[in-house]
Amino acid sequence: MLFDLRSRGRRRLVQVVYLGLAILMGGGLVLFGIGGDVQGGLFDAFREESGQDSGNQQIQQRLQQAEAAARRNPRAPQAWATLTRERYRAAAAGDGFDQNTREFTAPGRQRLRGTAQAWERYLALDPPRVDDRLAALMVEAYSAAGLNRPRDAVKALDVLIDRRGPSSDLFTRRSILNYQAGQSRQGDLAARRAVELADPEDRTVVRRELRQIKAQFQQAAAQGGGAAQSGGQGASP
C-alpha cells in the first residue's frame, strides 16, 4: 500500500523520521535534501531569493529565458535541465513554500508539476551525464513535502547513487522512500546496504532505526490505507 500523506499527521510522521535519520547520520542526510550538495548550496540560495521581491523578479526572468530556450532547442538536454532548475526555483519562491511547515504550498505543488514534466523530458533525451545536483532537487520535489511521489523520488535518488557512489546516508534515504511507497522488499535491501556501508560503530543504531521506521510506515498504512501498490512484505533489514 502506498503511504497516503494527504493528512497533516501522516506528513508529519515522514518529517519526524527523516529528521531522526538526519540526526542519526550526523547531518549527512538533511530533512528534504541530500547532504551538503543541497543544504548550504543551491537549495538555500533558492530559499534566500524566494523572500525578496527583486529575487522573485529575477526568478521569473530566468524562468522566461529558460522556457524560450527549451522551445528553441527542444532536443537539447541542457535546455531542459536549465528549465527544470528554473521551474523548481519558481516553485519554491514567494507563496510556493511555507517556511514554518517546511512544505510546498498548493501553488508551489502546482508549479512543481511543471518541474517534473521538464525533468522527465530531460531524462527522455538521454543526456550523456545526468546532472546529479538536479537529481537532488527532484528528490525533494517528489518528497512528502512536495508532490508526494516516493517512487519517482527513488528513481531520482538512484541517479545520485550512480553518480556519487553508494553511501550509508544515500541508501538510508532510499530505504525510507521505499517504505513510504509500500516497497517493503526494496526497502529492506536498501536498509541492508545502509547498514553495510555505515561505520562499524554505527551499524547497530542504523539497523535499529530503520527497523523502527519500517514498522511506523506499516502501522500507519494499516490504520489509514492508501492507493494499492505492490511491494511485498520483505524481511527485516
Side-chain angles (χ1 to χ4, degrees):
M1 302 290 285
L2 175 64
F3 189 47
D4 186 353
L5 296 178
R6 285 173 293 183
S7 71
R8 179 167 297 276
R10 292 178 191 165
R11 291 198 301 270
R12 185 58 54 192
L13 170 62
V14 175
Q15 293 175 357
V16 168
V17 296
Y18 281 5
L19 182 58
L21 265 294
I23 295 171
L24 169 66
M25 303 308 295
L29 182 70
V30 297
L31 186 57
F32 290 114
I34 303 294
D37 286 336
V38 178
Q39 188 78 3
L42 188 60
F43 179 79
D44 282 349
F46 289 173
R47 293 288 179 265
E48 291 171 3
E49 287 183 346
S50 69
Q52 303 173 4
D53 291 339
S54 60
N56 288 336
Q57 292 175 359
Q58 293 173 2
I59 288 171
Q60 290 303 315
Q61 290 174 355
R62 284 195 295 263
L63 176 58
Q64 291 172 5
Q65 292 169 355
E67 297 276 6
R71 287 193 297 269
R72 288 194 306 269
N73 304 285
R75 301 294 301 171
Q78 186 55 47
W80 290 97
T82 300
L83 181 56
T84 301
R85 183 175 292 106
E86 295 306 326
R87 283 183 175 178
Y88 180 93
R89 192 191 303 264
D95 64 349
F97 190 82
D98 189 322
Q99 296 288 349
N100 294 320
T101 64
R102 306 299 294 173
E103 295 175 349
F104 285 88
T105 63
R109 289 190 175 96
Q110 180 62 37
R111 295 194 286 267
L112 280 181
R113 294 186 182 96
T115 305
Q117 291 173 354
W119 167 251
E120 290 162 5
R121 182 68 179 271
Y122 167 65
L123 294 179
L125 292 171
D126 194 21
R129 189 173 177 83
V130 177
D131 187 334
D132 60 327
R133 288 173 63 84
L134 200 60
L137 293 180
M138 292 311 300
V139 173
E140 179 174 344
Y142 287 131
S143 76
L147 294 174
N148 188 27
R149 290 163 54 177
R151 294 193 178 194
D152 288 322
V154 168
K155 294 176 183 178
L157 185 57
D158 283 343
V159 172
L160 288 175
I161 294 173
D162 181 64
R163 286 290 312 279
R164 301 180 185 180
S167 66
S168 182
D169 57 346
L170 289 178
F171 272 98
T172 293
R173 181 69 185 269
R174 195 186 197 283
S175 69
I176 294 172
L177 289 169
N178 286 138
Y179 292 143
Q180 181 191 344
Q183 299 170 324
S184 294
R185 176 60 178 167
Q186 293 184 39
D188 290 344
L189 293 174
R192 288 172 186 167
R193 285 291 284 150
V195 172
E196 291 171 359
L197 293 167
D199 292 336
E201 63 270 21
D202 295 332
R203 288 172 184 166
T204 299
V205 178
V206 172
R207 182 182 294 107
R208 182 180 67 242
E209 292 298 317
L210 288 176
R211 283 177 175 171
Q212 291 176 354
I213 287 168
K214 177 184 178 181
Q216 287 178 312
F217 277 119
Q218 289 179 330
Q219 180 181 5
Q223 291 174 348
Q229 290 190 10
S230 60
Q233 292 301 312
S236 296

